[in-house]
């Protein structure tokens, strides 16, 4: 069965909140930059693939843009390379995909400074290498299942820019295809209910023979990114 439609987004301006950051320990030879953030779970700010995680898109060497809300307006937060809030803006250009760096940076460039503290909607900032690209590693699903690790589901690499998530195992298998930014591309289902969700060979084989259907990507949240290696 297809998943329930995502919940509506709130359009009420976000209230200020204390931003905390989480960093990964690193050697001095490895510089770290913001790669993503997790939004405060007390409010519903959006329904994009990977929500409430939102990627940090590089604007310059010391500026990174995070989308904190999509509703009637786009709310954006600019941070420096340490994850410190620099500026909040309300976007004048509609963003259909928060995982697309070109859309987000274009929206930022066309937006205006806001007196609201949209950076306060960030609960945790996540850091990674400034040089190496990141890829989807895992996500959580609300679509149902009982495999080892559920509700966490792994991203299995199909190609350099395509990754498969299993979102459900029951009477059949629901799957979602995303690109390296976590943007939803396709949904399919397959009847192999005995699939090992953690086995990349089984998942990619199932995807190849599956039928296109539905919007199973809408079941994913908390998408995590890391090294593409």
């Amino acid at each position: 069965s297809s998943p329930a439609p995502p919940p509506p987004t709130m359009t009420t301006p976000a209230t200020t909140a204390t931003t905390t950051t989480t960093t990964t320990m690193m050697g001095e030879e490895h510089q770290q930059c913001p790669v993503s953030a997790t939004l405060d779970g007390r409010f519903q700010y959006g329904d994009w693939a990977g929500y409430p995680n939102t990627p940090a898109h590089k604007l310059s060497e010391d500026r990174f843009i995070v989308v904190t809300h999509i509703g009637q307006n786009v709310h954006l937060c600019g941070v420096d390379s340490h994850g410190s809030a620099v500026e909040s803006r309300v976007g004048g250009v509609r963003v259909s995909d928060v995982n697309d760096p070109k859309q987000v940076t274009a929206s930022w460039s066309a937006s205006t400074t806001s007196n609201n503290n949209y950076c306060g909607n960030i609960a945790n900032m996540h850091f990674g290498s400034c040089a190496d690209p990141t890829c989807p590693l895992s996500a959580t699903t609300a679509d149902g299942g009982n495999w080892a690790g559920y509700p966490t589901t792994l991203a299995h690499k199909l190609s350099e820019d395509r990754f498969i998530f299993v979102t459900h195992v029951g009477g059949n298998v629901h799957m979602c295809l995303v690109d390296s930014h976590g943007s939803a591309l396709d949904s399919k289902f397959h009847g192999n209910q005995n699939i090992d969700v953690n086995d990349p060979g089984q998942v990619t084989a199932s995807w190849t023979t599956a039928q296109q259907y539905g919007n199973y990507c809408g079941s994913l949240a908390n998408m995590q990114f890391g090294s593409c290696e």
Side-chain angles (χ1 to χ4, degrees):
S1 59
S2 58
T9 58
M10 290 180 60
T11 57
T12 305
T15 57
T16 59
T18 301
T19 301
T20 58
T21 59
T22 57
T23 60
T24 303
M25 296 300 294
M26 60 178 180
E28 292 183 356
E29 71 276 9
H30 296 295
Q31 184 182 0
Q32 300 253 303
C33 291
V35 293
S36 68
T38 302
L39 300 178
D40 190 327
R42 294 177 297 173
F43 305 100
Q44 179 73 27
Y45 297 118
D47 60 359
W48 55 81
Y51 179 87
N53 273 22
T54 179
H57 299 293
K58 187 174 182 178
L59 185 67
S60 66
E61 288 303 313
D62 194 43
R63 288 295 179 272
F64 299 81
I65 311 303
V66 172
V67 174
T68 65
H69 167 87
I70 292 182
Q72 292 181 343
N73 294 308
V74 180
H75 298 172
L76 305 127
C77 167
V79 301
D80 63 18
S81 59
H82 303 290
S84 300
V86 175
E87 185 181 1
S88 291
R89 291 189 181 188
V90 57
V93 176
R94 179 71 179 176
V95 174
S96 61
D97 184 359
V98 302
N99 298 299
D100 184 339
K102 291 182 179 180
Q103 287 190 40
V104 173
T105 53
S107 186
W108 176 267
S109 298
S111 61
T112 56
T113 300
S114 173
N115 291 326
N116 291 308
N117 177 24
Y118 300 137
C119 298
N121 302 337
I122 297 173
N124 294 289
M125 186 75 71
H126 308 285
F127 294 80
S129 171
C130 296
D132 297 336
T134 61
C135 291
L137 297 180
S138 67
T140 57
T141 178
D143 201 8
N146 61 359
W147 59 81
Y150 179 85
T152 298
T153 179
L154 301 179
H156 298 293
K157 188 173 183 178
L158 183 66
S159 66
E160 288 303 313
D161 193 42
R162 295 293 183 269
F163 299 82
I164 306 163
F165 286 101
V166 174
T167 68
H168 168 85
V169 176
N172 49 42
V173 180
H174 298 173
M175 292 171 287
C176 165
L177 185 71
V178 303
D179 64 16
S180 59
H181 303 294
S183 302
L185 299 174
D186 198 4
S187 288
K188 290 185 178 183
F189 78 94
H190 194 280
N192 180 17
Q193 60 183 309
N194 296 317
I195 189 173
D196 181 351
V197 174
N198 298 307
D199 185 326
Q202 291 189 38
V203 172
T204 54
S206 187
W207 175 265
T208 302
T209 57
Q211 299 179 49
Q212 189 175 44
Y213 185 80
N215 176 28
Y216 301 135
C217 299
S219 301
L220 296 176
N222 301 309
M223 197 172 292
Q224 302 296 314
F225 293 78
S227 172
C228 296
E229 295 299 324

